Amino acid sequence: PALSSPNKMVLVLVIGDLHIPHRASALPAQFKKLLVPGKIQHILCTGNLVNKEVFEYFKTLAADVHVTSGDFDETTYPEQKVVTIGSFKIGLCHGHQVVPWGDHDSLEMMQRQLDVDVLITGHTHKFEAWEEQGHYYLNPGSATGAYSYDTSSTEASFALMDIQTNNIVTYGYKLQGDEVKVEKLEFSKST
């Protein structure tokens, strides 16, 4: 989508599991050209940036950067974080603490513990978004397509959330070959 609009958009980059430099050398060029300074207001990162240079790059894109600690990060970040953006309370966690990894029931329990409208986790390196009992769950996948323990072929992905008054429009970006495919998902908060 175009990153400008007559309405004030609140764009949130949701990204994680980059694993730079150990499993990937850089963010894919196709993604880097989409992520330009001045368009994104917040960055929520699920962790495993691994090196500090990735965090510094994020700070060039948005002043408000939130990161939780992945199991391979060289810098210490909090295990979990809750941030409020607009009318949404958003929980952020890497996800290696969730057992079994990526399990919906376990993630729903974490959502209840954090008492959030939206729960963002990573670790599985697979893009996934779903709604359950009036709450929204998002896993942005691996932004570099870094391999994970259970699969060697991972699709590079991230998400942009356009947070509006009572709804969130999520754009899932996936790199398939050399082409970026975009999937649009919507979540409305029950008022």
Side-chain angles (χ1 to χ4, degrees):
L3 295 183
S4 61
S5 137
N7 299 332
K8 177 77 176 113
M9 293 176 77
V10 177
L11 280 181
V12 180
L13 172 62
V14 182
I15 195 165
D17 290 303
L18 293 96
H19 288 278
I20 295 171
H22 304 134
R23 298 186 197 174
S25 58
L27 195 63
Q30 296 92 327
F31 286 174
K32 256 191 155 163
K33 75 178 184 195
L34 294 171
L35 303 175
V36 293
K39 302 287 185 192
I40 297 164
Q41 285 74 45
H42 309 275
I43 297 177
L44 302 178
C45 179
T46 61
N48 277 346
L49 297 83
V50 181
N51 70 19
K52 186 130 178 79
E53 287 77 20
V54 177
F55 180 79
E56 297 304 324
Y57 166 68
F58 287 163
K59 292 294 275 181
T60 69
L61 297 177
D64 189 43
V65 179
H66 299 276
V67 180
T68 53
S69 199
D71 47 346
F72 288 97
D73 278 314
E74 294 170 357
T75 305
T76 303
Y77 302 104
E79 286 281 313
Q80 299 173 335
K81 204 164 195 178
V82 175
V83 296
T84 300
I85 300 175
S87 66
F88 291 91
K89 215 169 135 186
I90 302 170
L92 185 64
C93 179
H94 176 250
H96 66 278
Q97 309 89 331
V98 175
V99 179
W101 295 335
D103 178 71
H104 286 205
D105 291 336
S106 299
L107 290 167
E108 288 166 22
M109 190 163 52
M110 178 182 277
Q111 173 277 319
R112 287 191 298 275
Q113 289 168 345
L114 294 175
D115 188 27
V116 292
D117 303 304
V118 179
L119 180 64
I120 297 170
T121 57
H123 189 60
T124 63
H125 296 209
K126 291 183 189 90
F127 182 93
E128 190 176 20
W130 74 97
E131 191 176 334
E132 186 66 44
Q133 296 179 358
H135 298 94
Y136 187 50
Y137 299 84
L138 177 63
N139 182 331
S142 167
T144 58
Y147 71 86
S148 71
Y149 293 108
D150 63 347
T151 179
S152 59
S153 61
T154 304
E155 189 173 69
S157 60
F158 71 90
L160 268 178
M161 295 191 314
D162 175 10
I163 297 186
Q164 299 161 3
T165 309
N166 284 315
N167 71 325
I168 298 174
V169 179
T170 302
Y171 298 93
Y173 291 80
K174 298 175 186 176
L175 187 60
Q176 297 174 343
D178 288 334
E179 205 174 319
V180 177
K181 302 283 186 191
V182 183
E183 173 185 0
K184 181 179 173 182
L185 307 141
E186 294 193 44
F187 168 71
S188 293
K189 187 177 184 176
S190 47
T191 52

